[in-house]
Amino acid sequence: MQGEPEIELPDLYEATISDLQHSLEIGQFKSTHLVLAYLARIEEVNLKGAALRAVSEINNTALRQAELLDAERDKGRTRGPLHGIPILIKDNIATAHELGMNTTAGSCALEGSVVPRDAFVISKLHEAGAILLGKATMSEWAQFRGEDVPNGFSARGGQTTAPYYPNLDPSASSSGSAVATAIGLAGATLGSETTGSIVLPASRNNIVGIKPTVGLVSRSGVIPISPHQDTVGPLARCVADAAILLSAIIGNDPSDVCDIGLRPPQEWPDYTKALNPNALRGKRLGVPRALFQDFPIINSAFDKCLDIFSQLGAHVVDPVDFPSFDELKRSTAEDIVLTVDFKPALNKYLEQLVDVPRGVRSLADIIKFNLEHADIELPSPYYTDQSQLLASEASQIDEKYHAALAENRELGRTRGIDAALQAHQLDALILPTDSYATKPTGVSGYPIISGKTIYAVPLGRNPQEVPPEPFKPAPIHSSTPNMPFGIAFIGTAYSEYELIGLAYAFEQATRARLQTKAYPTAIPVTQLKDVIPQ
């Protein structure tokens, strides 16, 4: 109506799924406009400009998907909060050949390979009406090629970097997913985690990441490391978006056998119902200081934020004992399990592929391919290591392996997270994400949420006077000025609902993600107004 104020379009740097969905519902724009805007933003900073290398390829059917979903909306049908929302997928999650995208775990050895079907989580996204925008880059073989390979590197995608300082380490294997979410290259993204690969990039890139309990989300169709620790999870700009995405991808999948001694829930929760700003009232939270590392700036910022929890009605127990920590820190059980698990799990995945143009059908074939194509797979001086692949190829299932499995459960669950929670009747543990937080959650299979939360104190980023380390990137900086860091919430098995509520309440009380912004050339300028016809 003439004279009514014009409703402002969402800013794609920060827009939430709910923001986008509301604008779609009132007809401000269509999903086709969203796709066009996100593609333009990717074009600006992925290989050009800041060259963050967060996206490995685009889904050429994305616009067609958007058109079909727009048509459904025009007929009065919507499938839920993800209807018409573009999502990027980590490049180890299988997408059907008809979509024209590769599934490679960052390796050139799997270019052109044909998967038998969509991964289960992809079928769930289709059901929810999400648009698959493309594949996010990742650390090759989910950072399991060699210890000396820098975070974020893959032969297919190159060296991904975080958008908060030039050449900043993006942290762990879901690096492209985290970077893309941080600067608004999609509505949200999916990543995967074995130990830290969702929550550490979330912390480094100023966003929220949820690593669910192993078994909550299907792994079928996901290039594996370990059936004992692998899981898929969301990365988003806020807790609510992460809850929406997690709710969409859970479900029973008979093809994913998850035998890790945890009983899955009888009912599949709607995690958006956990979004209660008062969720911290009356809760008991423990601070396991034994898990902290020697990061004075991060630890000091965390300490200053503890008053916020008390103001929100929580009782903070500080410190709490973590009985297994000394043994857990020394333990090599996780390394043994992952090293042994990788070969049979990967070989099974490769054997099930419909076609592999490069002829790789086993881990041994991958190792040979890398040596024969060392110029692209093992370029010097920084990317020559494939020691982890070699170790896995030489490994075998034996008594030492079975003992390591038992040790992981004992140290991570019985005398680890569960012992700490039960000794003090706690609802959750809280600590800096940049700590030993991912060690016990990895070996136990338990959930962890990393949130980017800032208050009036400088919790959340390194100050500007902090020098980059190393001073000259080799090839990336491990620490820099303006480097974000987050806070982690840890609970027992299948406590995602409770953890999401706690994280949401804290986020709503602080609301300050934008106090840490990406550096100027890493922020795309394209907005919806630039693609909507006038």
Side-chain angles (χ1 to χ4, degrees):
M1 186 179 296
Q2 190 172 6
E4 289 187 356
E6 185 176 340
I7 301 174
E8 190 172 339
L9 291 167
D11 177 358
L12 294 181
Y13 182 90
E14 188 63 11
T16 68
I17 290 173
S18 296
D19 292 336
L20 299 175
Q21 196 60 249
H22 174 70
S23 292
L24 288 166
E25 288 169 356
I26 65 174
Q28 269 193 301
F29 52 82
K30 293 184 175 294
S31 291
T32 49
H33 299 133
L34 260 185
V35 169
L36 289 170
Y38 281 134
L39 292 180
R41 290 170 70 83
I42 292 169
E43 178 71 14
E44 285 183 60
V45 298
N46 194 51
L47 299 180
K48 300 176 182 177
L52 300 172
R53 295 184 176 272
V55 180
S56 60
E57 60 185 301
I58 296 301
N59 178 9
N60 290 327
T61 72
L63 267 176
R64 179 56 180 158
Q65 287 182 39
E67 290 169 354
L68 294 173
L69 290 161
D70 282 337
E72 284 187 23
R73 189 184 297 275
D74 290 344
K75 293 176 182 177
R77 182 193 171 206
T78 55
R79 305 185 192 187
L82 286 177
H83 187 104
I85 303 296
I87 303 293
L88 283 166
I89 310 300
K90 188 175 179 179
D91 187 27
N92 60 348
I93 302 174
T95 48
H97 187 59
E98 306 86 75
L99 292 178
M101 292 187 290
N102 286 282
T103 304
T104 71
S107 171
C108 293
L110 290 184
E111 283 185 329
S113 61
V114 179
V115 300
R117 65 192 68 85
D118 280 331
F120 182 83
V121 293
I122 297 299
S123 66
K124 296 293 288 184
L125 288 179
H126 285 311
E127 290 175 16
I131 298 167
L132 304 185
L133 188 63
K135 290 290 181 78
T137 55
M138 59 180 285
S139 302
E140 191 167 335
W141 299 115
Q143 204 65 40
F144 209 67
R145 200 186 78 181
E147 289 184 6
D148 293 333
V149 180
N151 289 325
F153 171 77
S154 69
R156 286 197 72 231
Q159 179 63 64
T160 302
T161 56
Y164 294 94
Y165 192 88
N167 298 310
L168 173 60
D169 182 343
S171 183
S173 76
S174 298
S175 45
S177 298
V179 172
T181 300
I183 55 173
L185 303 187
T189 62
L190 281 188
S192 67
E193 175 157 330
T194 306
T195 299
S197 286
I198 289 173
V199 296
L200 293 176
S203 176
R204 180 62 52 86
N205 288 282
N206 199 22
I207 60 171
V208 175
I210 299 178
K211 176 252 178 176
T213 306
V214 174
L216 181 66
V217 180
S218 169
R219 292 85 51 84
S220 65
V222 180
I223 298 175
I225 291 178
S226 167
H228 295 98
Q229 293 189 206
D230 292 349
T231 187
V232 174
L235 295 105
R237 286 179 288 277
C238 65
V239 175
D241 285 359
I244 289 170
L245 196 48
L246 182 60
S247 298
I249 61 176
I250 59 175
N252 183 48
D253 178 13
S255 65
D256 180 26
V257 179
C258 185
D259 184 19
I260 63 166
L262 299 176
R263 180 178 295 179
Q266 298 301 304
E267 297 182 0
W268 301 104
D270 176 357
Y271 293 108
T272 63
K273 293 181 178 178
L275 302 173
N276 176 6
N278 299 314
L280 281 163
R281 288 183 183 173
K283 301 300 182 182
R284 291 177 59 83
L285 307 176
V287 181
R289 292 196 175 268
L291 297 180
F292 285 34
Q293 293 191 54
D294 186 20
F295 298 138
I297 292 172
I298 294 174
N299 296 344
S300 175
F302 174 84
D303 289 344
K304 290 175 183 176
C305 86
L306 291 178
D307 285 345
I308 300 172
F309 288 100
S310 299
Q311 292 164 11
L312 295 172
H315 178 69
V316 178
V317 183
D318 181 15
V320 297
D321 187 30
F322 201 90
S324 68
F325 174 70
D326 288 337
E327 293 171 74
L328 186 67
K329 188 176 179 180
R330 295 191 304 267
S331 174
T332 60
E334 181 180 28
D335 293 336
I336 293 168
V337 170
L338 300 186
T339 296
V340 174
D341 277 348
F342 183 56
K343 180 170 68 172
L346 179 63
N347 287 351
K348 181 180 178 181
Y349 175 88
L350 295 173
E351 289 163 4
Q352 293 175 345
L353 293 175
V354 176
D355 186 32
V356 190
R358 302 294 178 94
V360 292
R361 290 288 184 176
S362 68
L363 176 55
D365 290 342
I366 298 291
I367 293 169
K368 181 181 177 184
F369 177 90
N370 289 349
L371 293 173
E372 292 175 347
H373 301 84
D375 57 327
I376 55 172
E377 281 290 344
L378 306 171
S380 60
Y382 302 114
Y383 309 112
T384 60
D385 188 11
Q386 61 169 344
S387 57
Q388 183 60 65
L389 302 187
L390 294 167
S392 293
E393 177 59 27
S395 69
Q396 59 183 354
I397 296 174
D398 54 17
E399 290 185 6
K400 187 177 180 182
Y401 167 79
H402 290 294
L405 279 173
E407 182 177 327
N408 279 342
R409 294 184 186 186
E410 175 74 12
L411 298 182
R413 298 179 193 175
T414 310
R415 291 196 293 121
I417 294 170
D418 287 332
L421 293 171
Q422 292 164 10
H424 299 276
Q425 298 179 311
L426 301 174
D427 295 285
L429 302 174
I430 54 171
L431 68 165
T433 309
D434 293 79
S435 63
Y436 289 108
T438 61
K439 177 81 169 181
T441 54
V443 299
S444 65
Y446 284 5
I448 177 172
I449 297 176
S450 176
K452 181 69 190 88
T453 48
I454 314 168
Y455 194 51
V457 295
L459 173 65
R461 62 180 174 183
N462 280 348
Q464 292 298 327
E465 61 269 21
V466 171
E469 296 180 6
F471 188 75
K472 291 185 178 180
I476 48 181
H477 297 293
S478 59
S479 178
T480 67
N482 202 49
M483 183 183 78
F485 46 82
I487 184 170
F489 297 77
I490 296 174
T492 191
Y494 300 110
S495 60
E496 285 82 359
Y497 193 95
E498 292 75 17
L499 295 180
I500 286 170
L502 302 178
Y504 178 77
F506 190 62
E507 176 194 58
Q508 293 304 295
T510 55
R511 286 183 175 273
R513 192 183 93 88
L514 287 179
Q515 287 188 22
T516 307
K517 291 291 291 286
Y519 62 91
T521 57
I523 301 176
V525 299
T526 301
Q527 295 287 351
L528 282 159
K529 64 179 177 58
D530 301 311
V531 300
I532 299 173
Q534 299 300 312

